Each structure stands twice: as structure tokens, then as C-alpha cells.
Amino acid sequence: LVNMTSAALDFLNKKSGDKGFFLMVEGGRIDHANHYALATRALTETIAMDRAVEEILSKVDLDETLVIVTADHSHTLSVGGYPGRAANITGVVKGDNGWVMKADDGQPFSILGYANGPGFRNCR
């Protein structure tokens, strides 16, 4: 995403002269990942979008440019349990002392989860 964003900015800057331009960059894979309960992928795609925004901010004059970052909707990706500060957010709920939080069935559960929607149904 950052490479496409950078190339688009370079192209539009060259072609627009002093007329200006509009560029929309969408991190749509964040949404795709959430629809399929792929929390780690959703976070990875969010980082990619963040890097694309950083690229934009490094290439434009903020006195002359309006940059808007928004979302058209959200998902119910949530953080559960009491993970330690050193816990891998993509893993199971584990304390810094090695303690593992378990569900009523005795199984450990993931830190990230979905509360409803297709992602929730796919996790069962």
C-alpha cells in the first residue's frame, strides 16, 4: 500500500502542476480480514495503512494540503482477558509470569476476538 501511495503521489504531483489534485487511499484489506476473523491480518493491514499515511505526510506541504484519515465503519474486534504487558497480542491470554487464562471449558483463549458478525461465527 505504501508503494502504491508513494507512486500515486509522485505521479499526481508531476501531472497537476499548481492546480492540485485529489487522492483517495483505502486500506480495504483491513475490512476483508475482519470479515473473515483474521485479527492478525487486520492488524498487519492497519500497520500498512499507517505507513501509507506516514508516506503521504512526508511528501506533502501540510500548509497547502488537507489530509483526512477516516473509516467508513468498524468491526467488533476486541481485546479480552488480562494479558501481561509482554504478551503477544496475536496469542492466548498469558500473564507476564507465565499464567494462562482459561475459559470455562479449560482451554486458553485468544487475546483478540470478535463479539458478533461473520468473524464471530467463523471463530466458533
Side-chain angles (χ1 to χ4, degrees):
L1 190 60
V2 70
N3 293 338
M4 289 187 293
T5 301
S6 184
L9 280 170
D10 292 344
F11 175 82
L12 290 169
N13 272 324
K14 200 178 294 183
K15 291 290 186 183
S16 68
D18 62 353
K19 294 180 183 177
F21 59 87
F22 173 84
L23 172 64
M24 182 177 130
V25 177
E26 181 179 9
R29 294 289 184 199
I30 300 166
D31 186 46
H32 296 158
N34 279 311
H35 278 286
Y36 289 97
L38 301 172
T40 301
R41 179 64 184 259
L43 292 175
T44 302
E45 295 296 333
T46 301
I47 291 167
M49 181 65 180
D50 184 63
R51 289 182 178 146
V53 172
E54 286 177 358
E55 181 73 6
I56 292 166
L57 296 176
S58 75
K59 287 189 162 202
V60 300
D61 176 357
L62 292 175
D63 290 331
E64 297 288 328
T65 307
L66 174 64
V67 176
I68 300 171
V69 180
T70 187
D72 62 349
H73 68 282
S74 65
H75 287 271
T76 59
L77 177 60
S78 60
V79 177
Y82 298 95
R85 294 184 62 81
N88 177 349
I89 196 166
T90 64
V92 298
V93 178
K94 184 186 294 186
D96 289 332
N97 64 357
W99 160 84
V100 175
M101 183 175 244
K102 296 183 180 173
D104 288 343
D105 63 1
Q107 298 298 310
F109 60 91
S110 62
I111 294 172
L112 299 175
Y114 293 87
N116 65 14
F120 175 70
R121 286 191 298 276
N122 293 341
C123 282
R124 290 182 169 208

